[in-house]
């Protein structure tokens, strides 16, 4: 169904992608990693099953780091303009995160129903989301992840 297709890309237009269907989840994250990844007060994260995302064009580069919980966080960004487009979190191995602002207009077509890591939310932001958490269910302080490295 055409209404289930959405496309987007990076700032320079080199990277283009298409999604099919609705996201598995969409939310606002105020964690320090998303603040650094976006250069802003929060990140808008739209997660799809990996089979519902197609990379159409453009060269991307990966950068992987480990969170405080010891889990891998891999961002994928355009090699030309540097726009962070995708990411994968070890805690969600079958999902691809997409930066909400990279979808073509209407950019924010998806329902955002949750926010996480509100403990580091910028004090000038207010929210009206039904699901709000100071951290995340997957957060383990100090890297004490069972079976992790």
């Amino acid at each position: 169904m055409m209404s289930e297709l959405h496309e987007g890309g990076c700032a320079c237009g080199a990277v283009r992608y298409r999604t099919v269907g609705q996201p598995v989840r969409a939310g606002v994250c105020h964690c320090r990693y998303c603040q650094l990844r976006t250069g802003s007060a929060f990140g808008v994260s739209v997660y799809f099953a990996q089979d519902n995302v197609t990379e159409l064009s453009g060269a991307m580069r990966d950068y992987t780091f480990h969170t405080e919980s010891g889990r891998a966080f891999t961002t994928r960004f355009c090699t030309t303009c540097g726009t962070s487009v995708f990411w994968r979190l070890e805690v969600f191995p079958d999902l691809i995160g997409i930066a909400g602002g990279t979808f073509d207009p209407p950019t924010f077509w998806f329902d955002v129903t949750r926010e996480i890591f509100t403990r580091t939310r910028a004090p000038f932001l207010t929210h009206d989301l039904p699901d709000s958490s100071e951290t995340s269910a997957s957060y383990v302080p100090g890297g004490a992840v069972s079976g992790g490295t």
Side-chain angles (χ1 to χ4, degrees):
M1 181 179 263
M2 290 305 286
S3 65
E4 295 293 318
L5 296 177
H6 294 277
E7 292 189 0
C10 65
C12 74
V15 170
R16 297 291 301 161
Y17 65 85
R18 176 180 299 130
T19 63
V20 177
Q22 292 294 308
V24 173
R25 64 178 64 206
V28 174
C29 182
H30 304 277
C31 80
R32 188 65 182 135
Y33 305 118
C34 284
Q35 291 170 347
L36 290 168
R37 179 181 57 77
T38 64
S40 186
F42 58 87
V44 177
S45 303
V46 186
Y47 290 95
F48 283 85
Q50 58 190 5
D51 292 341
N52 290 356
V53 178
T54 303
E55 295 179 20
L56 301 173
S57 65
M60 286 190 280
R61 186 169 178 184
D62 292 353
Y63 173 72
T64 300
F65 63 92
H66 287 83
T67 66
E68 180 184 353
S69 296
R71 295 187 177 106
F73 187 133
T74 301
T75 59
R76 302 201 71 215
F77 57 93
C78 174
T79 59
T80 302
C81 68
T83 300
S84 174
V85 179
F86 301 119
W87 56 89
R88 288 187 180 266
L89 304 177
E90 182 179 325
V91 71
F92 301 133
D94 298 326
L95 300 179
I96 296 175
I98 300 176
T102 65
F103 281 97
D104 293 343
T107 304
F108 299 98
W109 57 269
F110 42 84
D111 291 328
V112 173
T113 58
R114 65 188 305 240
E115 68 176 336
I116 58 174
F117 287 98
T118 59
R119 70 181 189 177
T120 50
R121 180 175 57 216
F124 56 83
L125 294 174
T126 60
H127 67 89
D128 188 23
L129 297 173
D131 183 5
S132 184
S133 176
E134 283 198 6
T135 62
S136 168
S138 64
Y139 174 67
V140 180
V145 176
S146 176
T149 56

